[in-house]
Amino acid sequence: MSAEVEETLKRIQTHKGVIGTIVVNAEGNTTLITSTKVDYAGLLHQLTMKARSTVRDLDPQNDLTFLRIRSKKHEIMVAPDKEYLLIVIQNPSE
Amino acid sequence: GMPQHSKMYCHPNDILPLTLTSATQELFGCRCDEDVTGDNPYKILRKEDIVQDMRMRAAVSDFSPMKQLVLDYPEDELLLVYDRDFIYGSSFYLVLTADAKERHLKPVVALGVEVALEREPSEVFAAQKTSEPQPWISLGSEQEIEEESVTDSRPRYRISRVRREFGSPIFFSDRNAMETKDGFIECTPYQDKNFSLKQMERHTGVQTIPNLKSSSTQTQWTYPRSMCTQYEPREFSEEKKENCLQSEKLKNFVNSVASRFEMAIQQNEIMDVFFDDWKALSEEDSGYGRKADPHLKEYQSFTDLHFSKEKTISNINWHPTINGVIAVAVTERLSFEDRINGSTKLLLNPSLILFWSFSDPINPQLLLECPDDVFSFEFCPSDPNIIVGGCMNGQVVLWDISTHVEQLQGTRTNKRENETPVVRYCAVSGIENGHKAPITDIQWLPGTFEVSRMGVPMENKNGICVQIVTCAPDCCVMFWDIRAPRVLQTMADQRKQKVEEKPLENPHGVPNTFKHLDLTWKPLIRVQHISYCQTQLQRVLSTTFCPQDGELVYTDWKLEKDNDSGRLFSAKPSHRFIIHDGQVNTVRRSPFFKDIILTVGGWTFAIWKEGVTNGPIIQSSCSQKKCTVGYWSQSRPAVLFIGKEDGNIDVWDLLEKTHEPSQTQNITATQITCIKPWIVSSKQHLLAVSDHLGTLHILEIPWTLRSPSSNEKLSMSKYFEKEVDRLVYFEKRREMRAKEKKDYEAEELRKKMVRYSI
């Protein structure tokens, strides 16, 4: 892994409350995991695709940039791209 | 006149035409056209005269042909009518019947019938009514009847016998019918051509039906097979992963999105984006506004002059399922000596548990009869129709109120006034098997839980509560099982059969729910302890008892086996604390924290944490009056209610102040004996308070005392932790001080020795 990528991801991971990060490729194969939450990848991939198609249906010139799912226990953040998907799970301070 | 045959002329039967010679006419005074005329043709002749005439002139008399008729005539006077026009063929005719006579004489009257009717209507009617019976004229109908009627018309045969053969014995013999010709007559059947008819026409019905075809089919039975599917996310092979991670694209991607993440994460760290400020704002605001009324409001109060006179209430329980129904145990307000002295009076006055309903503040809804004063009772959590109670004489009692549930719910339509139904207990433990002292607390083990004979807790698969724990000051804690004993299975079956054979004797109308336990109930396990036990067992896996003299004992009730003697005995209590300076009357776990326990006794109360063995984590200061009972609030983790000897209720809010109660309110004039809160709805929280005089007060908990402040639970747990830390710290300090002291003493000793050695 290149040093830059590693550094950036590490920066994200060391934030307070971050439980894990996952990098998923466009087809849904997991590339990198830094937590035990493996099941997030497949499910979130599908959800992200759905969210993106919704946004584009509403306005074809629009596109999904960021997805935040807040649950009782933690918050899941997904940033989609043409080829990859970065997922970060955080436990908010409260 | 010219004689003419009377037969040629038709004449009615009741007249007879006759010719009279002039001599006869003169004799009888009916000369033609002189005595009798056309206008007046009627002449009444006397029967005597006619008879005389006939006698005198015999055959010559004109009347001789009708001699018999004249003689037969019933009346004395006959009517002779002059037939001027020869209607009937003769000059005169004689009327033969009285009726006809009347008719002849009276037709003149009939013409003027209207006039006549006025004068003599009865006569006319009378004339019409009198109709004489006529001889029956046969018209041939009697032949039909005669044909139908059965008459003896068979020809009779006469058989004669020689006289000497009368009564002589008869000898029968056989004779072959075939021997003699004509011995028998037979009619052989033969086909008579006359009767071979061919039916040329016949009526038949025809119906069309759809074509019916039977067929069957069967599905292929595939037996179920256990299969499972497991998925895992697709992952790249290691090699591929490496490739990816090295790729440029990933680098660019991560660089581009990283900033978004950082922003979001940081945002989360700073504040909660999804926090509803509006809602939180309203909560605090209303707290300030409504501070005007933090008091407990009196909602209703129940007292019964008949049943709770001179009695006190020892325990309260809300009905777990029926709203508005509360049960109280009423006991005598006597000391031990007084009880013994007045024991006969007590026997006459049965002890009761009263059921009150909010709908009727004057009359209790149901009464449960107890063998003795009940100090503690509980509804079964899995079946609220079953109630268990512990009595003063150590017996455990069971009631089943399923027949009265409708009445409690208020759905019974025919409510009888002035008659509160009484339910007798359906099972009671034997006196020799129960406690030897008043049962002070009784609890149901939760439905998921049961205890084996060894005292090992096991899982109760049924989900219904079957076991009860009781404790009493006789140093015993007993576990009871309400199921029929399994050991004596055959005997129990036999007993059951016996009961079924004879008609069920049920004089008190008691349900047979626990018949198998009645009077033979034995505790499952008996746990012996050194010291007195009183009140209030809580829950799973261990129990805490509060003996009489203010001690708090904490122990585990698993029975252990003594290796030497093989007997089972209970373990020694693990911890003992003496904190309260009086009898401990309450031990209660907090409904919010599983390991926080409240104890109330003497003039103080204390809060304990399970696992912290140094002492109570919080202990209140001594109050002016004795604390008699305590209870946690059901909705606020920091609030508890303490009942006092003088009828006050102290409300403690531990987050507000811990040195004194947040508020005190006087409820009644005498000692408070029991407090039980109950949540009816989110808007209504009630507190049931009973006092020493036997009155039950229902108070409404105001909003400030029932709605928790934000994060109250969290604050309380933090507070408890702090207190635990404090205790630990003090313990450490104590140890440190002790150590210091020891070191100091050692140092002193050493110095002394050095001095002396010099």
Side-chain angles (χ1 to χ4, degrees), chain A residues 5-50:
Chain A
V5 170
E6 196 173 333
E7 197 197 311
T8 321
L9 287 176
K10 197 166 233 138
R11 209 170 59 231
I12 295 175
Q13 279 161 31
T14 48
H15 267 275
K16 183 183 168 193
V18 173
I19 306 173
T21 53
I22 308 172
V23 176
V24 185
N25 91 324
E27 281 106 46
N29 297 334
T30 315
T31 308
L32 173 70
I33 320 154
T34 53
S35 77
T36 50
K37 313 254 182 228
V38 196
D39 30 357
Y40 278 63
L43 298 163
L44 281 170
H45 181 259
Q46 290 177 41
L47 184 64
T48 318
M49 291 304 123
K50 188 76 180 178

Short mmCIF file of all heavy atoms in Angstrom, two decimals, chain A residues 5-50:
data_model
loop_
_atom_site.label_atom_id
_atom_site.label_comp_id
_atom_site.label_asym_id
_atom_site.label_seq_id
_atom_site.Cartn_x
_atom_site.Cartn_y
_atom_site.Cartn_z
N VAL A 5 -1.64 6.71 0.92
CA VAL A 5 -2.94 6.13 1.22
C VAL A 5 -2.99 5.68 2.68
O VAL A 5 -3.94 5.95 3.42
CB VAL A 5 -3.21 4.95 0.26
CG1 VAL A 5 -4.43 4.18 0.71
CG2 VAL A 5 -3.38 5.45 -1.16
N GLU A 6 -1.89 5.05 3.03
CA GLU A 6 -1.84 4.52 4.39
C GLU A 6 -1.97 5.65 5.41
O GLU A 6 -2.71 5.56 6.40
CB GLU A 6 -0.52 3.80 4.58
CG GLU A 6 -0.54 2.89 5.80
CD GLU A 6 0.72 2.06 5.86
OE1 GLU A 6 1.32 1.81 4.80
OE2 GLU A 6 1.09 1.70 6.98
N GLU A 7 -1.28 6.70 5.12
CA GLU A 7 -1.27 7.82 6.07
C GLU A 7 -2.66 8.44 6.20
O GLU A 7 -3.13 8.71 7.31
CB GLU A 7 -0.26 8.86 5.56
CG GLU A 7 0.14 9.85 6.62
CD GLU A 7 0.78 11.06 5.97
OE1 GLU A 7 1.66 10.85 5.13
OE2 GLU A 7 0.36 12.19 6.29
N THR A 8 -3.28 8.63 5.06
CA THR A 8 -4.61 9.26 5.09
C THR A 8 -5.60 8.40 5.87
O THR A 8 -6.33 8.90 6.73
CB THR A 8 -5.13 9.45 3.66
OG1 THR A 8 -4.06 9.84 2.81
CG2 THR A 8 -6.25 10.45 3.64
N LEU A 9 -5.55 7.13 5.55
CA LEU A 9 -6.50 6.25 6.24
C LEU A 9 -6.22 6.23 7.73
O LEU A 9 -7.14 6.22 8.56
CB LEU A 9 -6.41 4.84 5.64
CG LEU A 9 -7.03 4.68 4.25
CD1 LEU A 9 -6.80 3.28 3.72
CD2 LEU A 9 -8.51 4.98 4.29
N LYS A 10 -4.93 6.24 8.05
CA LYS A 10 -4.59 6.20 9.46
C LYS A 10 -5.11 7.45 10.16
O LYS A 10 -5.62 7.39 11.29
CB LYS A 10 -3.07 6.13 9.61
CG LYS A 10 -2.70 5.69 11.00
CD LYS A 10 -1.26 5.28 11.14
CE LYS A 10 -1.16 3.89 11.74
NZ LYS A 10 -0.16 3.10 11.07
N ARG A 11 -5.03 8.54 9.48
CA ARG A 11 -5.50 9.79 10.07
C ARG A 11 -6.98 9.70 10.40
O ARG A 11 -7.43 10.14 11.45
CB ARG A 11 -5.22 10.94 9.09
CG ARG A 11 -5.01 12.25 9.84
CD ARG A 11 -4.50 13.36 8.97
NE ARG A 11 -5.39 13.63 7.87
CZ ARG A 11 -4.98 13.69 6.61
NH1 ARG A 11 -3.71 13.47 6.29
NH2 ARG A 11 -5.84 13.94 5.65
N ILE A 12 -7.69 9.12 9.43
CA ILE A 12 -9.12 8.97 9.65
C ILE A 12 -9.38 8.02 10.82
O ILE A 12 -10.20 8.29 11.70
CB ILE A 12 -9.82 8.45 8.37
CG1 ILE A 12 -9.71 9.49 7.26
CG2 ILE A 12 -11.29 8.14 8.67
CD1 ILE A 12 -10.26 9.01 5.94
N GLN A 13 -8.63 6.96 10.84
CA GLN A 13 -8.91 5.94 11.86
C GLN A 13 -8.61 6.42 13.26
O GLN A 13 -9.21 5.95 14.22
CB GLN A 13 -8.05 4.70 11.58
CG GLN A 13 -8.62 3.80 10.52
CD GLN A 13 -7.55 2.89 9.98
OE1 GLN A 13 -6.63 2.52 10.70
NE2 GLN A 13 -7.65 2.53 8.72
N THR A 14 -7.69 7.32 13.39
CA THR A 14 -7.30 7.72 14.73
C THR A 14 -8.20 8.79 15.31
O THR A 14 -8.01 9.22 16.44
CB THR A 14 -5.85 8.24 14.75
OG1 THR A 14 -5.69 9.17 13.69
CG2 THR A 14 -4.88 7.09 14.59
N HIS A 15 -9.19 9.20 14.56
CA HIS A 15 -10.15 10.13 15.13
C HIS A 15 -10.90 9.46 16.25
O HIS A 15 -11.05 8.25 16.29
CB HIS A 15 -11.15 10.58 14.05
CG HIS A 15 -10.73 11.83 13.37
ND1 HIS A 15 -11.00 13.07 13.87
CD2 HIS A 15 -10.05 12.02 12.22
CE1 HIS A 15 -10.51 13.99 13.05
NE2 HIS A 15 -9.92 13.38 12.03
N LYS A 16 -11.41 10.30 17.14
CA LYS A 16 -12.08 9.74 18.31
C LYS A 16 -13.37 9.05 17.91
O LYS A 16 -14.22 9.62 17.22
CB LYS A 16 -12.36 10.89 19.27
CG LYS A 16 -12.99 10.43 20.57
CD LYS A 16 -13.31 11.61 21.46
CE LYS A 16 -14.20 11.17 22.60
NZ LYS A 16 -14.77 12.27 23.30
N GLY A 17 -13.51 7.86 18.34
CA GLY A 17 -14.77 7.17 18.14
C GLY A 17 -14.83 6.31 16.90
O GLY A 17 -15.81 5.58 16.71
N VAL A 18 -13.83 6.36 16.02
CA VAL A 18 -13.90 5.59 14.79
C VAL A 18 -13.64 4.12 15.10
O VAL A 18 -12.61 3.78 15.69
CB VAL A 18 -12.88 6.11 13.76
CG1 VAL A 18 -12.83 5.21 12.55
CG2 VAL A 18 -13.24 7.52 13.34
N ILE A 19 -14.59 3.31 14.69
CA ILE A 19 -14.46 1.88 14.99
C ILE A 19 -13.74 1.14 13.86
O ILE A 19 -12.94 0.26 14.11
CB ILE A 19 -15.85 1.24 15.20
CG1 ILE A 19 -16.65 1.99 16.26
CG2 ILE A 19 -15.68 -0.20 15.62
CD1 ILE A 19 -18.05 1.51 16.39
N GLY A 20 -14.05 1.54 12.62
CA GLY A 20 -13.42 0.80 11.54
C GLY A 20 -13.58 1.50 10.21
O GLY A 20 -14.42 2.38 10.03
N THR A 21 -12.75 1.08 9.27
CA THR A 21 -12.84 1.61 7.91
C THR A 21 -12.78 0.44 6.94
O THR A 21 -12.10 -0.55 7.19
CB THR A 21 -11.69 2.56 7.58
OG1 THR A 21 -10.46 1.88 7.86
CG2 THR A 21 -11.75 3.83 8.39
N ILE A 22 -13.53 0.59 5.83
CA ILE A 22 -13.53 -0.47 4.82
C ILE A 22 -13.39 0.20 3.46
O ILE A 22 -14.04 1.21 3.21
CB ILE A 22 -14.83 -1.29 4.85
CG1 ILE A 22 -15.13 -1.80 6.26
CG2 ILE A 22 -14.75 -2.45 3.86
CD1 ILE A 22 -16.47 -2.45 6.40
N VAL A 23 -12.58 -0.39 2.63
CA VAL A 23 -12.49 0.07 1.24
C VAL A 23 -13.07 -1.03 0.37
O VAL A 23 -12.64 -2.18 0.43
CB VAL A 23 -11.02 0.34 0.83
CG1 VAL A 23 -10.96 0.74 -0.62
CG2 VAL A 23 -10.44 1.43 1.71
N VAL A 24 -14.07 -0.64 -0.42
CA VAL A 24 -14.75 -1.62 -1.26
C VAL A 24 -14.59 -1.18 -2.71
O VAL A 24 -14.65 0.01 -3.00
CB VAL A 24 -16.24 -1.70 -0.90
CG1 VAL A 24 -16.94 -2.79 -1.66
CG2 VAL A 24 -16.41 -1.92 0.59
N ASN A 25 -14.45 -2.14 -3.59
CA ASN A 25 -14.35 -1.73 -4.98
C ASN A 25 -15.74 -1.70 -5.60
O ASN A 25 -16.73 -2.06 -4.98
CB ASN A 25 -13.37 -2.65 -5.74
CG ASN A 25 -14.09 -3.81 -6.36
OD1 ASN A 25 -15.03 -4.34 -5.79
ND2 ASN A 25 -13.67 -4.21 -7.54
N ALA A 26 -15.78 -1.28 -6.85
CA ALA A 26 -17.08 -1.00 -7.45
C ALA A 26 -17.99 -2.21 -7.53
O ALA A 26 -19.22 -2.09 -7.50
CB ALA A 26 -16.88 -0.40 -8.83
N GLU A 27 -17.42 -3.40 -7.67
CA GLU A 27 -18.29 -4.58 -7.77
C GLU A 27 -18.71 -5.12 -6.41
O GLU A 27 -19.48 -6.06 -6.34
CB GLU A 27 -17.60 -5.69 -8.55
CG GLU A 27 -17.65 -5.49 -10.04
CD GLU A 27 -16.29 -5.06 -10.56
OE1 GLU A 27 -15.29 -5.68 -10.15
OE2 GLU A 27 -16.25 -4.09 -11.33
N GLY A 28 -18.13 -4.59 -5.40
CA GLY A 28 -18.51 -5.05 -4.07
C GLY A 28 -17.49 -5.93 -3.40
O GLY A 28 -17.73 -6.46 -2.33
N ASN A 29 -16.35 -6.11 -4.04
CA ASN A 29 -15.33 -6.91 -3.38
C ASN A 29 -14.57 -6.06 -2.39
O ASN A 29 -14.22 -4.92 -2.67
CB ASN A 29 -14.33 -7.44 -4.42
CG ASN A 29 -15.02 -8.33 -5.40
OD1 ASN A 29 -16.03 -8.93 -5.10
ND2 ASN A 29 -14.48 -8.39 -6.59
N THR A 30 -14.35 -6.64 -1.27
CA THR A 30 -13.67 -5.87 -0.23
C THR A 30 -12.17 -5.83 -0.50
O THR A 30 -11.55 -6.86 -0.77
CB THR A 30 -13.93 -6.52 1.12
OG1 THR A 30 -15.30 -6.87 1.21
CG2 THR A 30 -13.57 -5.60 2.25
N THR A 31 -11.67 -4.65 -0.41
CA THR A 31 -10.23 -4.50 -0.65
C THR A 31 -9.45 -4.41 0.64
O THR A 31 -8.42 -5.03 0.81
CB THR A 31 -9.99 -3.23 -1.48
OG1 THR A 31 -10.83 -3.29 -2.63
CG2 THR A 31 -8.56 -3.10 -1.89
N LEU A 32 -9.96 -3.65 1.52
CA LEU A 32 -9.20 -3.44 2.75
C LEU A 32 -10.18 -3.28 3.91
O LEU A 32 -11.17 -2.59 3.81
CB LEU A 32 -8.35 -2.17 2.61
CG LEU A 32 -7.62 -1.72 3.88
CD1 LEU A 32 -6.50 -2.68 4.20
CD2 LEU A 32 -7.08 -0.33 3.71
N ILE A 33 -9.83 -3.96 4.97
CA ILE A 33 -10.69 -3.83 6.16
C ILE A 33 -9.81 -3.50 7.34
O ILE A 33 -8.75 -4.09 7.50
CB ILE A 33 -11.42 -5.14 6.49
CG1 ILE A 33 -11.90 -5.81 5.22
CG2 ILE A 33 -12.56 -4.89 7.45
CD1 ILE A 33 -12.03 -7.29 5.40
N THR A 34 -10.25 -2.61 8.15
CA THR A 34 -9.51 -2.38 9.38
C THR A 34 -10.39 -2.56 10.61
O THR A 34 -10.16 -2.00 11.65
CB THR A 34 -8.92 -0.95 9.40
OG1 THR A 34 -10.00 -0.06 9.15
CG2 THR A 34 -7.84 -0.80 8.38
N SER A 35 -11.43 -3.33 10.47
CA SER A 35 -12.23 -3.68 11.64
C SER A 35 -12.83 -5.05 11.42
O SER A 35 -12.61 -5.66 10.38
CB SER A 35 -13.34 -2.66 11.86
OG SER A 35 -14.37 -2.90 10.93
N THR A 36 -13.59 -5.53 12.32
CA THR A 36 -14.15 -6.86 12.14
C THR A 36 -15.51 -6.81 11.46
O THR A 36 -16.16 -7.81 11.27
CB THR A 36 -14.34 -7.54 13.51
OG1 THR A 36 -15.01 -6.65 14.36
CG2 THR A 36 -13.00 -7.94 14.09
N LYS A 37 -15.93 -5.64 11.11
CA LYS A 37 -17.27 -5.52 10.55
C LYS A 37 -17.24 -5.81 9.06
O LYS A 37 -17.33 -4.92 8.23
CB LYS A 37 -17.83 -4.11 10.77
CG LYS A 37 -17.66 -3.60 12.16
CD LYS A 37 -18.97 -3.60 12.90
CE LYS A 37 -18.75 -3.03 14.28
NZ LYS A 37 -19.32 -3.82 15.31
N VAL A 38 -17.09 -7.05 8.73
CA VAL A 38 -16.95 -7.43 7.32
C VAL A 38 -18.29 -7.32 6.61
O VAL A 38 -18.36 -6.99 5.45
CB VAL A 38 -16.45 -8.87 7.20
CG1 VAL A 38 -15.94 -9.14 5.81
CG2 VAL A 38 -15.41 -9.14 8.24
N ASP A 39 -19.34 -7.59 7.31
CA ASP A 39 -20.65 -7.65 6.66
C ASP A 39 -21.12 -6.30 6.15
O ASP A 39 -22.00 -6.24 5.31
CB ASP A 39 -21.69 -8.25 7.61
CG ASP A 39 -21.37 -7.95 9.06
OD1 ASP A 39 -20.31 -7.33 9.29
OD2 ASP A 39 -22.16 -8.34 9.92
N TYR A 40 -20.51 -5.25 6.66
CA TYR A 40 -20.94 -3.94 6.20
C TYR A 40 -20.76 -3.77 4.71
O TYR A 40 -21.56 -3.13 4.03
CB TYR A 40 -20.13 -2.84 6.90
CG TYR A 40 -20.61 -2.50 8.28
CD1 TYR A 40 -20.60 -3.44 9.29
CD2 TYR A 40 -21.08 -1.23 8.56
CE1 TYR A 40 -21.05 -3.11 10.55
CE2 TYR A 40 -21.53 -0.90 9.84
CZ TYR A 40 -21.50 -1.85 10.82
OH TYR A 40 -21.92 -1.54 12.07
N ALA A 41 -19.70 -4.34 4.19
CA ALA A 41 -19.30 -4.05 2.82
C ALA A 41 -20.39 -4.36 1.82
O ALA A 41 -20.84 -3.46 1.09
CB ALA A 41 -18.04 -4.82 2.48
N GLY A 42 -20.83 -5.60 1.78
CA GLY A 42 -21.82 -5.99 0.79
C GLY A 42 -23.11 -5.22 0.93
O GLY A 42 -23.67 -4.69 -0.04
N LEU A 43 -23.57 -5.11 2.19
CA LEU A 43 -24.86 -4.44 2.40
C LEU A 43 -24.78 -2.96 2.04
O LEU A 43 -25.67 -2.42 1.39
CB LEU A 43 -25.26 -4.59 3.87
CG LEU A 43 -25.46 -6.03 4.34
CD1 LEU A 43 -25.45 -6.09 5.85
CD2 LEU A 43 -26.74 -6.58 3.80
N LEU A 44 -23.71 -2.33 2.48
CA LEU A 44 -23.62 -0.90 2.24
C LEU A 44 -23.41 -0.60 0.77
O LEU A 44 -23.87 0.43 0.26
CB LEU A 44 -22.49 -0.30 3.07
CG LEU A 44 -22.90 -0.09 4.51
CD1 LEU A 44 -21.71 0.27 5.35
CD2 LEU A 44 -23.94 1.00 4.61
N HIS A 45 -22.74 -1.50 0.10
CA HIS A 45 -22.55 -1.30 -1.33
C HIS A 45 -23.89 -1.22 -2.03
O HIS A 45 -24.14 -0.29 -2.82
CB HIS A 45 -21.71 -2.46 -1.88
CG HIS A 45 -21.43 -2.34 -3.33
ND1 HIS A 45 -22.11 -3.04 -4.28
CD2 HIS A 45 -20.54 -1.56 -3.99
CE1 HIS A 45 -21.65 -2.72 -5.47
NE2 HIS A 45 -20.70 -1.83 -5.34
N GLN A 46 -24.75 -2.14 -1.72
CA GLN A 46 -26.07 -2.14 -2.35
C GLN A 46 -26.83 -0.88 -2.00
O GLN A 46 -27.49 -0.28 -2.86
CB GLN A 46 -26.87 -3.35 -1.88
CG GLN A 46 -26.34 -4.66 -2.42
CD GLN A 46 -27.13 -5.82 -1.86
OE1 GLN A 46 -28.35 -5.74 -1.74
NE2 GLN A 46 -26.43 -6.88 -1.48
N LEU A 47 -26.75 -0.52 -0.72
CA LEU A 47 -27.49 0.68 -0.28
C LEU A 47 -26.98 1.92 -0.98
O LEU A 47 -27.75 2.79 -1.41
CB LEU A 47 -27.37 0.82 1.24
CG LEU A 47 -28.17 1.98 1.84
CD1 LEU A 47 -29.65 1.75 1.64
CD2 LEU A 47 -27.86 2.11 3.32
N THR A 48 -25.70 1.99 -1.11
CA THR A 48 -25.12 3.17 -1.77
C THR A 48 -25.55 3.25 -3.21
O THR A 48 -25.86 4.33 -3.73
CB THR A 48 -23.59 3.11 -1.70
OG1 THR A 48 -23.20 2.68 -0.41
CG2 THR A 48 -22.98 4.46 -1.99
N MET A 49 -25.57 2.11 -3.89
CA MET A 49 -26.02 2.09 -5.28
C MET A 49 -27.45 2.58 -5.37
O MET A 49 -27.80 3.37 -6.25
CB MET A 49 -25.91 0.67 -5.85
CG MET A 49 -24.49 0.19 -6.04
SD MET A 49 -23.50 1.29 -7.08
CE MET A 49 -22.15 1.68 -6.01
N LYS A 50 -28.25 2.12 -4.43
CA LYS A 50 -29.65 2.52 -4.44
C LYS A 50 -29.78 4.02 -4.20
O LYS A 50 -30.53 4.72 -4.88
CB LYS A 50 -30.40 1.75 -3.32
CG LYS A 50 -31.88 1.93 -3.34
CD LYS A 50 -32.48 1.11 -4.45
CE LYS A 50 -33.99 1.29 -4.49
NZ LYS A 50 -34.57 0.54 -5.58
#
